[in-house]
Amino acid sequence: MKQVVLCGVEKAEILHVFHMQNPVSCMHWMEVTEESSALGSFYQSEDESKLFLPKLASLPKNYSTTSKLFSEEKSDEIMNLLGEVRLNILVLGGDVGHVELYAYGMYKIATLAGVSGSCRTLSLASDLKSLAVITEVKSAEDHAEICFVQLDTGLLSECLAELTRMARKFTHISTLLQYLHLSLTCMCEAWEEILMQMDLRLTKFVQEKNTSTQVQDEFLELLLWGQSSPELQALLMNQLTVKGLKKLGQTIESSYSSIQKLVISHLQSGSEALLYHLSEVKGMSLWKKKFEPLGLDSAAIDGAITAVGSFSLKTSELLQVIDKSMKNFKAFFRWLYVAMLRMCDEHVPPELNKMTQKDIAFVADFLSEHFSENEQLFDRKGKYFNIERVGQYLKDEDEDLVSPPSSTGNQWLKFLQDSTHLKESPLLFPSFPQKSLHFVKRMMENVIELCLQKPAEVIGKSVKQAVFLPLYSAPQRSENTPRLFELPSLWNDKKAKMLYVVFCMPHVSPHKLYLLRRGSDPSRHIPNGVASLDLSHHLDSSDGETAEPRPRDVYRCLDARFYSDEMLTVVLQGAEEESGRSVLAQLPLSSTLNCESEFDWTPNMRLDQQSASIPCQGLVLGNQWRELEGMKAQFVAVNGIREVACVLSENLRHLRVFEMDVEDEDDEGTEQQNDAAEQDTPDATMASQGDESAEAGRDEAGKTEEHLESEETSEL
């Protein structure tokens, strides 16, 4: 079982965790940019649930195992995953061609099987019309081939408004299920706190008493005859004390109250919110023209609503049991407090001295319920003290309740049993009187999970393979090279609605860089679909007048990533392995795609087998490059929005961060800019761990109009 963890980077905390059956080899997170009138009206009406549902209470902070998992702030962070209503999707690819799509990173909206080979990288088009996947396919001769696969996801695009509404609802439902689970965990902790407090007081007494009587019998003798054994009196007067009894009573009453509040403010309010969202999903499922293609099944949703109703009934039943147990508890501690005051010959307040027959019955019930030593009743009870009536609801077992509530005299149940029409009515929620709260919760989760899974299956089956292009024979991969950094690299041009793939074929043309273009709509024809770039070029200056051209250099591409829709960032290395210099450069895509000839792809042949006919353009760098001195560069990662690039060394121990588009802050004109360009500026560096001395260098700022500025961080 593999885990996917969503983290809040700014606060360094885990927001959500979900499991996957298959290992994840690549992932991609995208936001939908498509606009429509249907989406506009949907955006305005989305937050109606806030008008009808109160804000969920945060979990108590005194329960360490749960407060860290679901604080109020974290609840808000999880809701922030929904963003500004606009749909965003996390796409996960696996080693066996298994692909899953998660709306808002939480709810699975599609499961795709049958993708050939193992996924290397993938990209979902922002208009949701297709999913591009780079796969590694094993041939019959056990040779690996790198292939481009384009899957038609037209259903997601056609039903975008409906998909967004359904995904948001199901994400709310998934979050509420997590909230209920953690609330129930808090209740179990509060219950175990009561057991621990009482056991600490009773353990020494049981170990030191000389009689064979049980703890329950000792207290019953005190209740009936007003006299206690020397062992019990020593326990009460020396170990427990009057002051300690008051403190113990307050502690246990607080734990009881915590359980009661968790049921009311968390379980009941959470199940009501769950019922609300499921009812809205039920309404959506009845609009068959809109939502039936997405796999919404009204019958399955009815089953989920019924399961949530049963859970709500069980929480109400538990509240009644807690209320009765608290009455018994208060009566017992009040009686014991008076008995200890009399043992000390202290004054008993008149309001405590009165004890009715009902109070005596409460005390007797408390003793019989909590001090039973039948170890077969409940395996999670305390050693000498248990809370069977409350605790039996919290056990995570399939067995029936040991002490189910009595339904004798319940006129409503009698009326239902006598009514042939209402007995099997789908409008009434079954109560499962013999089952625990944990059992009903697990049953509810399973039913809702089935309800959530069906759309993912239906949408997954609608996705078909539209394009399959074998690119080249995969070279032997170094064991030390992380697959995450390997080419090819994918890019989605949202404005032009294009998918780009950049890759190298070193076994065919080691000094060329290749670019594949496809429309996000698989049926759309794209001119100049395949082009290449010749890396045999000398790095000249921008004006070509002041600097003499260098000897002709031949470069090979180490790594390439898309900086923006118009720019490609590459790491180049000279042909000489030892003395060849490394260069970070920006390549405009317009020059690469400006080909007059069109490539005609021959069917049933890999691209590397027909590479000679691929149109080729010469490399023109101009001023947009920088030599990477003192570093054996290998990989690059970029972010065009933040305008930064990170270059990683071959041994994966050194990292340099470059600001790519730094504007000159001097407003006094181009003359000062030129003067500054002629001066040397220090390249600030920091030595990585294991280096005996700091690396230092001075680079010429005049080499680039981009003013690439860098600093090297410490060892990764």
Side-chain angles (χ1 to χ4, degrees), residues 48 61 115 175 239 250 449 496 499 521 562 590 607 637:
E48 291 180 352
K61 294 184 179 180
V115 178
T175 306
Q239 296 181 27
Q250 292 171 356
E449 187 65 26
L499 293 166
D521 186 348
F562 287 92
S590 57
L607 183 64

Side-chain angles (χ1 to χ4, degrees), residues 404-419:
S406 175
S407 59
T408 305
N410 190 315
Q411 296 183 358
W412 169 249
L413 291 179
K414 186 177 183 302
F415 170 71
L416 290 182
Q417 292 297 325
D418 295 341
S419 173

Side-chain angles (χ1 to χ4, degrees), residues 309-333:
S310 298
F311 180 77
S312 297
L313 288 178
K314 186 58 66 172
T315 59
S316 299
E317 181 182 309
L318 177 58
L319 273 181
Q320 296 175 5
V321 174
I322 292 174
D323 185 62
K324 183 178 179 181
S325 294
M326 286 190 70
K327 289 179 181 178
N328 295 345
F329 156 78
K330 290 180 179 179
F332 170 76
F333 272 85

Side-chain angles (χ1 to χ4, degrees), residues 88 100-101 115 181 246 281-282 308 332 382 384 511 518 521 550 575 605 626 666 702:
N88 55 78
E100 293 183 351
L101 280 65
V115 178
H181 171 75
K246 289 183 67 175
V281 175
K282 170 67 184 300
V308 175
F332 170 76
Y384 308 109
H511 307 300
R518 299 288 304 186
D521 186 348
R550 294 185 176 218
M605 287 183 65
R626 181 187 187 124
D666 202 339

Side-chain angles (χ1 to χ4, degrees), residues 137 175 177-178 193 259 278 315 325 384 463 546 634 646 693:
V137 181
T175 306
L177 288 175
Q178 182 185 7
E193 177 68 18
I259 297 176
L278 282 171
T315 59
S325 294
Y384 308 109
V463 177
T546 60
Q634 181 68 40
C646 298
S693 62

